[in-house]
Amino acid sequence: MSDAQDPGPHSASTRGVRVSENGPYVVTGNVPLTQQVIVTDARGQSVDWWQQRTYDTDETYALCRCGQSANKPFCDRSHERVGFDGTETASRLPYLEQADEQDGPELTLTDAQPLCAFARFCDADGQVWNLVEEEGTADIVERETARCPSGRLVAWNPAERRPVEPAFPPSIGIVEDPQEGASGGIWVRGGIPVTSADGTPYEVRNRVTLCRCGASRNKPFCDGTHAAIGFKDA
């Protein structure tokens, strides 16, 4: 699984993503930005991530969320020209209050379906909801849930009630999905705080995906609409 270089503790206190009203995501704290490509196998199933490139950024930069910028993934103020409506509709509830729980013989699976970003790692080697019910599948369940960029799916060690989470340095990935012929969301990793346009912080999570096609019905989070509309970062 790809990751980026941690910019260091000097910027940790200022690190964050702020949703601006009908405008871009403003990223502060010298957060590394890379392009992350979904890798598929011969069956077309999502199996891994590949880091294709690193973007040059300043300590503060703005990422397009209307989908119209001619300088993607960065904002070029096209949101003003198109009259973008970026009204946030996502729940402010904590993850566990949105998630369903499924107990298996080895692991517990939690699933907050509204957060799905349609990366499809949960389908490889058998759907994760079926696998968690079986003995001897813990490694597959952990791998499939850990690669879910939005954190919709989390595997838990039931004895310790501890989430099985990948260790991400604070970083942001711009998702590309060649199998679907689409450009995906903005993958925020490593517990970077996201703050709404009205100043309310969303729950800090290890994995979050933000919409960048402008068409999600769960703004500011990605809901997979980029695949349905064939959004392309070009």
Side-chain angles (χ1 to χ4, degrees), residues 124-209:
D125 299 314
Q127 289 195 329
V128 71
W129 303 272
N130 298 326
L131 293 169
V132 76
E133 299 282 356
E134 302 174 9
E135 294 274 4
T137 61
D139 288 347
I140 302 174
V141 171
E142 289 180 6
R143 181 176 69 246
E144 291 189 2
T145 55
R147 287 174 177 162
C148 168
S150 69
R152 165 191 173 175
L153 298 166
V154 179
W156 298 74
N157 180 315
E160 303 174 11
R161 191 57 183 174
R162 174 179 55 81
V164 182
E165 281 289 322
F168 289 123
S171 53
I172 293 177
I174 301 299
V175 175
E176 290 294 332
D177 189 349
Q179 181 66 27
E180 288 295 312
S183 298
I186 296 171
W187 184 15
V188 181
R189 307 175 294 185
I192 297 174
V194 177
T195 304
S196 70
D198 66 11
T200 304
Y202 289 96
E203 180 186 31
V204 176
R205 296 190 290 119
N206 187 35
R207 298 172 280 150
V208 171
T209 47

Side-chain angles (χ1 to χ4, degrees), residues 9 17 35 58 111 126 146 150 155 227:
V17 177
Q35 186 180 74
D58 295 324
D111 177 6
S150 69

Side-chain angles (χ1 to χ4, degrees), residues 91-95 97-98 203:
S91 172
R92 305 294 176 90
L93 291 174
Y95 170 81
E97 292 186 30
Q98 298 184 54
E203 180 186 31

